[in-house]
Amino acid sequence: MLKTYQREITALSPQDSFLVMDRFRDTFDYPIHFHPELELNYIHNGIGMQRTVGFSIEEIDDHELVLVGSNVYHGWKMHNCTKSVHEVTIQFHNDLFTENLLRRSIMKPFREMMERSVHGILFDKNESRKIASRITRVSKIEGFDYFLEMFSILYDLSLTKNQRLLSVSQMSRDDFDNSDKVKLFYNFIQENYANKITLDQVSSLLNMSKVSFNRFIKKSTERTFVEYLNDVRIENASRMLAEETFGVSEIAYKCGFYNIANFNRVFKKAKGCTPSQYRKEFYKLTRIQ
């Protein structure tokens, strides 16, 4: 799929650790793109801008901080924003932190954040506000202090709460690796989301009562069973809307929605637009002619 999008050749050289671009912009006109380097993007005064990360398209608030993983297609455009925007983009190589380093116990939060970055991570606004002043100052630091501060910023971000994955919902990696029941549930949903799935069915599969199952899923996914199932279905529908030529009704059916009105309602709640609008915006934003 990436071949249909523009690969950016970044200015980050093999000798660089980080590349920091701190600028005020009246327009964002760079097409949706991808690159192997990871990117931390801070935007202030950007209310009304539109962000695309993977299959997620959202209008942003006045302040946001997003980490985009390696080769994840992404971009921001002015959309409904009419102000001059302050942007700080920080890029770094995907092999800057070696496997040997990431395996250390102290690096666990950082390692897990790097793994989650393949979906794009939106950091909690209150948490990112606390660290914004450090991000806007980092371009003024030189030498080894600059490297240490950048590493410290990333590590501190890995410890923040309420991080939100922007594209494709998934369970926490830690919970997944340590629970056979979670693996069984996850695999069952991935294989059967297109079919009718009941609470009785999945609780029986895990040999749990419905009450115990509901508590278990809420703890594991921070969602109810229905919310998690709908998330999986909507993310797969988003992928089909972007990649396939099926009609909206057919995609709804293929993703387990047998009522088109319900599909439109759930999709709009999750994505902020109808399926047809999503497909139109996605192709307008991302296709390279």
Side-chain angles (χ1 to χ4, degrees), residues 5 32-33 49-60 64 66 68 72-77 119 166-167 278 281-286:
Y5 305 100
I32 300 297
H33 62 282
M49 291 185 66
Q50 189 174 74
R51 174 202 342 106
T52 298
V53 175
F55 294 108
S56 169
I57 301 176
E58 296 178 345
E59 188 169 300
I60 75 171
E64 78 162 20
V66 170
V68 179
V72 176
Y73 48 92
H74 60 282
W76 282 256
K77 73 170 189 174
H119 303 296
L166 290 174
S167 185
Y278 179 91
E281 285 297 322
F282 194 91
Y283 274 88
K284 183 171 66 176
L285 280 170
T286 63

Side-chain angles (χ1 to χ4, degrees), residues 8-61:
E8 178 188 1
I9 305 301
T10 70
L12 188 70
S13 76
Q15 290 75 39
D16 292 329
S17 295
F18 296 95
L19 175 66
V20 181
M21 293 163 280
D22 188 336
R23 52 203 172 186
F24 288 85
R25 304 177 66 174
D26 294 322
T27 183
F28 278 66
D29 55 7
Y30 201 82
I32 300 297
H33 62 282
F34 68 97
H35 42 72
E37 298 80 9
L38 287 86
E39 181 172 298
L40 183 67
N41 202 292
Y42 168 77
I43 292 179
H44 180 245
N45 212 32
I47 188 167
M49 291 185 66
Q50 189 174 74
R51 174 202 342 106
T52 298
V53 175
F55 294 108
S56 169
I57 301 176
E58 296 178 345
E59 188 169 300
I60 75 171
D61 207 341

Side-chain angles (χ1 to χ4, degrees), residues 250-265:
E250 189 172 2
I251 288 174
Y253 184 83
K254 286 177 176 291
C255 291
F257 292 96
Y258 302 108
N259 181 300
I260 188 64
N262 182 52
F263 173 60
N264 285 330
R265 179 182 61 79

Side-chain angles (χ1 to χ4, degrees), residues 190-228:
Q190 294 299 317
E191 293 170 4
N192 295 280
Y193 67 84
N195 304 319
K196 183 177 180 180
I197 303 175
T198 66
L199 181 59
D200 285 332
Q201 190 177 6
V202 288
S203 57
S204 176
L205 176 71
L206 272 62
N207 196 26
M208 302 172 74
S209 70
K210 287 188 287 187
V211 173
S212 296
F213 172 77
N214 276 328
R215 284 199 299 264
F216 167 74
I217 291 304
K218 185 72 173 178
K219 180 181 178 182
S220 300
T221 70
E222 298 183 352
R223 295 169 175 81
T224 66
F225 162 63
V226 172
E227 287 171 342
Y228 181 78

